[in-house]
Amino acid sequence: MKAVVFHGVGDIRLDDVREPKIQEPTDAIVRLTASAICGTDLHFVRGTMAGMKPGTILGHEGVGVVEEIGKDVRNLRKGDRVVIASTIACGTCSYCRAGYPSQCDKNPNGKRAGTAFFGGPAQTGPFDGLQAEYARIPFANVGCVKLPDGVSDDQAILLSDIFPTGYFGAEIAEITPGDTVAIFGCGPVGLFAILSAQMLGADRILAVDAIPSRLEMARALGAEVIDYDAEDPIETILRLTDGIGVDRAIDAVGVDANRPHSGPAKVSREDKKEAERLLEAVAPKTHEQGDNWHPGDAPSQALTWAVEALAKAGTLSIIGVYPPQMKWFPIGMAMNRNLTLNMGNCPHRRYIPKLLELVASGAVDPTKILTNKEPLVSVIDAYKAFDRRMPGWVKVELAPAAVAAKKAA
């Protein structure tokens, strides 16, 4: 089958690989009808998330049809359409039962290893990912959620990761009706955080980014937008909140944040050198190629701004991805202003049924954030356009080659 395979930092390819087989009684084999490219995938290619094993199939978002099930998968049958939770959970350990499936104890690397997910580095499994024609789904009785006929692949692929992650970010921000919220990053997760903050009753949402097409999507969702390359985001937030700051802030960027390259917030030479030192520690190995695969040049920028933007006793939610080697945080500023910090990897399986019900009922249409649909055969070009943050390339759905050919016919 065709699959997107990681060969090294700056080196991904569309390869012919063996089709997966049932290995455990709780496995299922799913024929993928949709996958997607996520910003997390770019961390591996850019070198800001270490530990990727060459030969790993990328991708952690998937929708498909069940082709085969193990003997202990008792809630699915061949032919079921399913959305696949991005994080892998057994459903039986104490963490899964407590509502933290993203911290499942069945990670092959041991109980202290943290989150297991598809298409990730060695410490997450590794498990082959979902940017392929077929995938083996461990603990399929938990990780595969059946789809009603009225929910399309376009809608369902957004429920595999980014909609639950955005909702999780808004929930752990402790948003209450009437709150003013700042969201740093208007990529796919940030946009779903805007939508989710509205669902939780936020009165005002200030969205910070520098890419015009993303800011326009945030504005269309009802956010008040701030271009950090045109104005100082903290000065603007304080001015718009009468000097108080926001009640809640969400970091939806993570380690690949960029510093301002123009405007009044452009950093000093000293700050630039500090950011370069931090980047060297976070991503010691990179492989830039022309305009592609460049890590963000200020890994701590979104964290710093989020802390600075908060009112005293506010809450910071961190859902942007940071690698273990990221060890810088403005803890003194946060502590002295009584901030609450909540963070983590989204427990997708906890949220998918609730969000699926909202989509199926027509209460929410997630496809307004889906901007591109590409065949799997064009995946490398799609990766490059998404990596460069080309205008209009916000969320990219992939169709396996056979599916794309069928649709074209």
Side-chain angles (χ1 to χ4, degrees):
M1 68 172 184
K2 295 289 186 183
V4 183
V5 178
F6 177 90
H7 287 267
V9 175
D11 185 4
I12 56 172
R13 308 173 199 173
L14 183 64
D15 289 344
D16 289 308
V17 302
R18 292 183 180 275
E19 293 183 7
K21 304 294 183 183
I22 294 285
Q23 297 180 23
E24 301 290 342
T26 51
D27 286 352
I29 302 300
V30 172
R31 173 172 54 83
L32 278 300
T33 56
S35 184
I37 302 173
C38 180
T40 302
D41 300 320
L42 296 179
H43 295 323
F44 310 139
V45 191
R46 292 170 178 167
T48 46
M49 180 70 78
M52 283 297 291
K53 181 180 178 182
T56 301
I57 297 172
L58 291 174
H60 53 265
E61 298 168 274
V63 173
V65 177
V66 175
E67 291 289 311
E68 185 180 356
I69 57 173
K71 65 178 182 179
D72 284 342
V73 179
R74 300 165 184 266
N75 57 342
L76 300 174
R77 59 169 59 93
K78 183 177 179 179
D80 283 343
R81 287 181 66 235
V82 295
V83 57
I84 302 163
S86 294
T87 45
I88 297 169
C90 71
T92 60
C93 72
S94 61
Y95 286 95
C96 286
R97 293 186 183 197
Y100 287 95
S102 59
Q103 294 300 323
C104 175
D105 264 347
K106 294 295 179 72
N107 187 314
N109 295 300
K111 294 185 177 182
R112 295 280 295 172
T115 306
F117 63 94
F118 294 99
Q123 62 266 29
T124 70
F127 293 92
D128 276 330
L130 308 180
Q131 291 172 5
E133 294 181 285
Y134 294 87
R136 179 178 77 92
I137 312 302
F139 308 114
N141 57 307
V142 176
C144 291
V145 179
K146 286 192 282 189
L147 292 167
D149 291 338
V151 174
S152 68
D153 281 6
D154 293 353
Q155 294 172 317
I157 193 59
L158 302 169
L159 293 167
S160 180
D161 177 18
I162 59 171
F163 193 177
T165 300
Y167 191 90
F168 171 65
E171 186 175 83
I172 65 173
E174 302 177 340
I175 294 170
T176 57
D179 280 348
T180 296
V181 181
I183 296 176
F184 292 87
C186 296
V189 170
L191 293 170
F192 273 113
I194 292 171
L195 184 63
S196 300
Q198 292 170 337
M199 293 166 62
L200 294 176
D203 187 52
R204 296 179 71 188
I205 299 170
L206 309 178
V208 181
D209 206 300
I211 299 172
S213 60
R214 294 184 176 189
L215 288 169
E216 282 308 309
M217 290 186 73
R219 192 196 307 269
L221 291 174
E224 301 174 53
V225 300
I226 298 170
D227 180 350
Y228 67 73
D229 270 342
E231 54 188 336
D232 185 305
I234 302 306
E235 290 182 0
T236 302
I237 287 170
L238 292 177
R239 177 168 52 82
L240 293 175
T241 59
D242 199 23
I244 297 171
V246 297
D247 304 297
R248 320 292 172 198
I250 300 174
D251 170 5
V253 182
V255 67
D256 273 309
N258 284 303
R259 64 177 183 268
H261 287 228
S262 62
K266 187 176 180 180
V267 300
S268 67
R269 182 176 299 178
E270 291 73 20
D271 288 340
K272 180 180 177 182
K273 289 181 178 178
E274 182 180 346
E276 289 172 349
R277 286 193 294 269
L278 181 56
L279 179 59
E280 177 64 26
V282 169
K285 181 180 179 181
T286 62
H287 190 189
E288 296 91 344
Q289 298 171 29
D291 292 333
N292 282 113
W293 320 134
H294 293 267
D297 58 17
S300 63
Q301 186 66 83
L303 282 174
T304 303
W305 277 343
V307 170
E308 292 175 343
L310 278 162
K312 292 181 291 186
T315 304
L316 170 59
S317 162
I318 305 172
I319 51 173
V321 173
Y322 290 94
Q325 64 268 30
M326 177 67 179
K327 297 180 179 180
W328 194 97
F329 181 79
I331 189 67
M333 188 186 309
M335 181 268 176
N336 280 289
R337 291 167 56 216
N338 281 59
L339 301 186
T340 296
L341 311 180
N342 292 317
M343 65 198 81
N345 291 319
C346 176
H348 298 89
R349 187 57 178 81
R350 187 202 306 174
Y351 294 103
I352 288 174
K354 173 181 180 177
L355 299 179
L356 176 58
E357 184 177 348
L358 291 174
V359 172
S361 70
V364 178
D365 178 16
T367 59
K368 62 184 69 175
I369 292 170
L370 181 64
T371 56
N372 304 82
K373 296 168 64 176
E374 300 292 328
L376 192 63
V377 292
S378 302
V379 66
I380 304 304
D381 288 338
Y383 254 97
K384 290 180 177 179
F386 183 57
D387 172 67
R388 294 196 302 270
R389 303 175 180 89
M390 295 288 288
W393 287 76
V394 175
K395 186 60 182 177
V396 184
E397 178 184 338
L398 301 173
V403 177
K406 182 177 179 181
K407 288 181 177 179

